[in-house]
Amino acid sequence: QVQLKESGPGLVQPSQTLSLTCTVSGFSLTSNSVHWVRQPPGKGLEWVGAIWSGGSTDYNSALKSRLSISRDTSKSQVFLKMNSLQTEDTAIYFCTRWGPPFAYWGQGTLVTVSS
Amino acid sequence: DIQMTQSPPSLSASLGDKVTITCQASQNINKYIAWYQQKPGKAPRLLIRYTSTLESGTPSRFSGSGSGRDYSFSISNVESEDIASYYCLQYDNLYTFGAGTKLELK
């Protein structure tokens, strides 16, 4: 069955770089796109970006200058890197597979930006 | 970027009520709207895609409608398991979520 699981540091210092990994199973990254969605505590959902089956990427225009999404198809992993983190980047970060639309989700991982 | 204006931010309902949530897009989204349910501590669950197509496992008391810029989502005969937050998502041009609606019991 389709599964996604996020992993990464729970705490990041301000101005540092966040690195998250989404490990997937039950489907191929070369046939499906994977997206990142985040949710600040107690707030709504925000689409962060995507890596498509062909390897191209799309990013939220508000985050584009700080964001990079890549993948390792041999390991079935998708990576998110976001630099210059600020406190407002504190959120649960979900990876999700295109359904359409977002039909399969990981459990999410909480990232806290704090010194 | 397409903006999604979702209302109301919160709803209070009694069991058995019908409730309706609306989303207005900043431009025509060609019916590419989905609706999600999210319970505390959980990932969102897709209920409806392409305006009115119910996902497998979505109870028939959930429904969606609309066209152009204006869309609505309804729950008829609210049950206790429906207490959650609900979000719309446009996927006509990249992706934008509405701000969410928190459904509570009266």
Side-chain angles (χ1 to χ4, degrees):
Chain A
Q1 70 276 29
V2 173
Q3 291 187 321
L4 303 94
K5 186 171 184 179
E6 308 86 350
S7 59
L11 181 65
V12 180
Q13 293 196 340
S15 80
Q16 297 301 301
T17 297
L18 170 65
S19 294
L20 294 177
T21 300
C22 175
T23 303
V24 309
S25 60
F27 67 96
S28 169
L29 293 178
T30 58
S31 302
N32 297 273
S33 63
V34 171
H35 302 242
W36 290 93
V37 172
R38 70 179 184 177
Q39 184 172 37
K43 297 189 178 180
L45 300 161
E46 178 182 37
W47 178 75
V48 172
I51 187 161
W52 299 97
S53 58
S56 62
T57 54
D58 273 310
Y59 301 126
N60 182 316
S61 58
L63 303 171
K64 190 172 186 175
S65 62
R66 303 193 288 132
L67 191 58
S68 173
I69 297 175
S70 60
R71 69 184 185 183
D72 183 335
T73 56
S74 67
K75 294 183 178 179
S76 294
Q77 291 181 324
V78 174
F79 309 106
L80 177 149
K81 288 191 188 304
M82 184 183 299
N83 59 32
S84 304
L85 251 60
Q86 300 302 318
T87 54
E88 52 264 34
D89 295 312
T90 293
I92 299 171
Y93 286 75
F94 297 97
C95 58
T96 173
R97 197 199 88 172
W98 187 247
F102 306 131
Y104 304 94
W105 295 71
Q107 64 193 19
T109 186
L110 175 62
V111 174
T112 301
V113 181
S114 174
S115 55
Chain B
D1 295 3
I2 296 176
Q3 309 303 314
M4 298 296 287
T5 303
Q6 183 173 343
S7 62
S10 64
L11 266 178
S12 184
S14 300
L15 297 179
D17 280 355
K18 178 177 180 178
V19 298
T20 297
I21 299 167
T22 64
C23 270
Q24 182 176 68
S26 57
Q27 64 189 64
N28 180 8
I29 55 171
N30 299 299
K31 295 194 170 186
Y32 288 106
I33 188 168
W35 294 91
Y36 290 83
Q37 177 191 68
Q38 188 180 32
K39 296 185 177 181
K42 299 292 188 181
R45 171 193 172 195
L46 176 64
L47 298 177
I48 292 174
R49 59 181 167 88
Y50 196 59
T51 297
S52 59
T53 301
L54 268 61
E55 290 299 292
S56 174
T58 301
S60 59
R61 64 181 180 275
F62 293 91
S63 63
S65 65
S67 63
R69 294 176 55 206
D70 297 305
Y71 299 85
S72 64
F73 168 85
S74 295
I75 312 172
S76 60
N77 300 315
V78 167
E79 298 189 5
S80 57
E81 65 184 33
D82 301 333
I83 300 309
S85 292
Y86 292 86
Y87 295 89
C88 63
L89 165 73
Q90 73 79 19
Y91 57 104
D92 181 62
N93 186 339
L94 292 182
Y95 315 94
T96 314
F97 288 94
T101 297
K102 188 173 184 179
L103 176 60
E104 299 174 317
L105 270 180
K106 193 179 293 182

